[in-house]
Amino acid sequence: EPEVTQTPSHQVTQMGQEVILRCVPISNHLYFYWYRQILGQKVEFLVSFYNNEISEKSEIFDDQFSVERPDGSNFTLKIRSTKLEDSAMYFCAAVPGTGGYEQYFGPGTRLTVT
Amino acid sequence: GQQVMQIPQYQHVQEGEDFTTYCNSSTTLSNIQWYKQRPGGHPVFLIQLVKSGEVKKQKRLTFQFGEAKKNSSLHITATQTTDVGTYFCALVTGGGNKLTFGTGTQLKVEL
């Protein structure tokens, strides 16, 4: 299984602070996604990213959120001013550029906002 | 946007019993994927169904796509403790092929 890694595994931050979550897909991945999962709930789509541009975003992905692929490798999700309700597990996912359709998820970053 | 409901929400079975989770939509689906999430883990792709009435098998797992492409099911024969986790169906939609997940069915297997 093509491996997607994420750092950090757990991030604790105070309300109002900025956080950056990082994802490192395999080099031949073309499509990238961020999802979040509030404890005990379903996985929710945040944003998709292709060819260095956002291709789609959900209503959750408001102005507090942004994504970048700054160096052609890492894929980051920034939350500018965290709120208590941002506490969740954040998953990065990627689709290989080999014609497959399954999404490979990273292990996730647990974000706790206090 | 399209939504899918999954039932049941929880299922406790004895090891060796069968298990089925159902995914239902009010609209016709172009495709459906199934993922498994172990406790504390991340979603792992299991299968994609595209054709009306399609049936696919993976060892003890059988996946079906309804004739009308409005529902899908995952059946596990003779559950094992390794089957523990939450099973999600998911729709692939939009130009970016995002996943819209169902509500999931949490499976617990007791010895």
Side-chain angles (χ1 to χ4, degrees):
Chain A
E1 177 179 311
E3 187 174 339
V4 176
T5 58
Q6 288 185 244
T7 58
S9 58
H10 191 190
Q11 175 89 49
V12 181
T13 190
Q14 289 190 325
M15 195 168 53
Q17 295 296 304
E18 174 183 287
V19 294
I20 297 176
L21 311 183
R22 290 182 171 81
C23 171
V24 182
I26 302 290
S27 59
N28 71 339
H29 284 166
L30 290 184
Y31 295 87
F32 309 100
Y33 307 83
W34 283 101
Y35 296 87
R36 80 172 186 189
Q37 186 177 34
I38 294 170
L39 186 63
Q41 298 186 22
K42 67 178 183 179
V43 180
E44 299 176 291
F45 167 76
L46 292 177
V47 65
S48 57
F49 193 83
Y50 171 71
N51 203 24
N52 291 323
E53 288 184 345
I54 290 175
S55 54
E56 190 171 355
K57 58 184 180 180
S58 73
E59 57 191 25
I60 302 170
F61 194 88
D62 61 22
D63 292 343
Q64 294 297 315
F65 292 87
S66 63
V67 288
E68 277 189 330
R69 197 165 182 227
D71 55 8
S73 175
N74 293 302
F75 179 47
T76 63
L77 173 69
K78 182 192 292 185
I79 309 175
R80 266 182 270 284
S81 179
T82 50
K83 300 180 281 239
L84 294 176
E85 53 265 38
D86 293 328
S87 295
M89 182 71 88
Y90 288 80
F91 293 106
C92 170
V95 174
T98 53
Y101 41 73
E102 60 265 42
Q103 293 192 15
Y104 293 95
F105 283 74
T109 294
R110 178 165 298 285
L111 177 65
T112 303
V113 182
T114 61
Chain B
Q2 287 183 308
Q3 299 289 328
V4 284
M5 294 298 297
Q6 264 185 272
I7 54 171
Q9 188 176 2
Y10 302 99
Q11 185 83 61
H12 291 201
V13 299
Q14 295 289 319
E15 189 177 42
E17 292 182 338
D18 292 355
F19 159 77
T20 305
T21 173
Y22 301 90
C23 192
N24 298 301
S25 170
S26 58
T27 59
T28 302
L29 307 172
S30 58
N31 59 69
I32 196 156
Q33 295 186 358
W34 285 91
Y35 287 79
K36 176 184 179 181
Q37 185 178 27
R38 294 182 186 274
H42 58 277
V44 175
F45 174 82
L46 295 176
I47 206 116
Q48 174 165 291
L49 304 172
V50 178
K51 298 177 183 176
S52 168
E54 190 170 17
V55 178
K56 288 188 176 180
K57 293 190 175 185
Q58 290 178 351
K59 297 183 180 178
R60 293 178 295 104
L61 277 61
T62 302
F63 303 85
Q64 287 190 301
F65 204 6
E67 292 290 340
K69 299 181 73 173
K70 289 185 175 182
N71 55 73
S72 181
S73 65
L74 159 58
H75 179 81
I76 302 178
T77 304
T79 54
Q80 300 174 358
T81 54
T82 53
D83 296 324
V84 165
T86 301
Y87 293 85
F88 292 98
C89 60
L91 312 179
V92 180
T93 60
N97 291 329
K98 72 174 189 291
L99 294 175
T100 300
F101 281 83
T103 46
T105 296
Q106 185 178 354
L107 173 64
K108 292 191 176 180
V109 180
E110 299 170 357
L111 293 172

